[in-house]
Amino acid sequence: MAKTLLLILNPRAGRTRSTAPLFDAVAHFCEAGYLVSVRRTTHPGHAAEIVEAEGADFDRIVCCGGDGTLNETVRGAMRLDAPPPLGYIPGGSTNDFAASLSLPADPVRAAQQITGSPGRRLDVGSLNGRPFVYVASFGAFTRSSYAAPQSIKNDLGHLAYILQGVRDLSSLRPYPAVVTTEEELFDGEFLFGAVTNATSVGGLMKLNKEQVILDDGLFELLLIPAPANAAQLQELIRCLILQDFTGSGIIFRHVPAVTVETPEGFPWTLDGEFGSGAERVEIQNLPRRLEFLL
């Protein structure tokens, strides 16, 4: 009896208009013994709806699109009692999660890796009950992932995120918050905050791969306090340019959970997609929650 594979495709993601590589990827899945069913997303949240409605009937689920498509697929899988293993064919403009795992950008090579993978269980995040794959963030740069128009991201790719990030710098504002971990409390104003499980954040910030383990039950907490004077601002700019997150103006920790309280309920982004805010945000690491075919 043939194994079954549900392939979820976001036709709007990515910079290429050619579907030929995807046909080749589907052909590979078929040659590997899978009976493939293809579903195309038509609106935000559709991938989660498809997985929740149909995912339990398949042996494998593979999504092709950007990090937002992956987030939706994971969101749907988390609603299943026994979610099947998940595969990811990166088809977006930056693909932070794929970069963290060095996943092939070529659909055929990605398909080959998926069918040859023994599977690996990875941590999944939860922000007030809403799942995310690799990052929840607020403040500067968080808009970079979703504010740049899709057409610009398709044409410019990573450069679009850099341009949007520079644009964000012109409108920096401090976000008052109390950030609590199991061992520490940080009370102040922050330009940026991220709870991440990836080496690439928003296509802009790169973390050391030796510091990020995707199945250790820990997040990487990155906070950038608002500089109090010109010297601190200069140090912050230096750290960002050199991607040095150990500088005196930056807080970097490994934590299993984080609580963020703020008087204004500022918005967060999850895996680069805009999300609503709340005055109290509880973020938890769900250790080795889902199996990925990597």
Side-chain angles (χ1 to χ4, degrees), residues 168-207:
D168 282 347
L169 286 174
S170 65
S171 58
L172 286 180
R173 53 159 291 191
Y175 292 81
V178 177
V179 181
T180 308
T181 71
E182 287 186 343
E183 298 181 350
E184 296 177 280
L185 182 149
F186 305 100
D187 186 354
E189 295 186 330
F190 304 92
L191 298 181
F192 173 78
V195 180
T196 179
N197 197 35
T199 60
S200 179
V201 180
L204 289 166
M205 298 182 180
K206 307 295 181 182
L207 302 179

Side-chain angles (χ1 to χ4, degrees), residues 140-264:
F141 313 121
T142 57
R143 298 184 70 255
S144 303
S145 292
Y146 66 86
Q150 184 65 51
S151 59
I152 299 299
K153 289 193 286 187
N154 289 346
D155 292 337
L156 299 180
H158 182 75
L159 179 59
Y161 294 86
I162 299 297
L163 294 175
Q164 186 63 47
V166 172
R167 183 178 178 183
D168 282 347
L169 286 174
S170 65
S171 58
L172 286 180
R173 53 159 291 191
Y175 292 81
V178 177
V179 181
T180 308
T181 71
E182 287 186 343
E183 298 181 350
E184 296 177 280
L185 182 149
F186 305 100
D187 186 354
E189 295 186 330
F190 304 92
L191 298 181
F192 173 78
V195 180
T196 179
N197 197 35
T199 60
S200 179
V201 180
L204 289 166
M205 298 182 180
K206 307 295 181 182
L207 302 179
N208 190 325
K209 289 188 176 182
E210 296 180 357
Q211 294 180 313
V212 180
I213 302 174
L214 305 185
D215 58 358
D216 63 351
L218 298 175
F219 288 126
E220 282 61 56
L221 170 64
L222 179 64
L223 296 172
I224 300 180
N229 51 55
Q232 290 183 7
L233 177 59
Q234 184 176 5
E235 170 64 9
L236 172 59
I237 293 173
R238 183 197 69 81
C239 290
L240 292 177
I241 292 176
L242 297 179
Q243 299 288 279
D244 175 14
F245 301 113
T246 62
S248 60
I250 292 180
I251 298 168
F252 183 75
R253 300 287 191 274
H254 303 280
V255 298
V258 179
T259 299
V260 180
E261 297 173 281
T262 174
E264 54 186 284

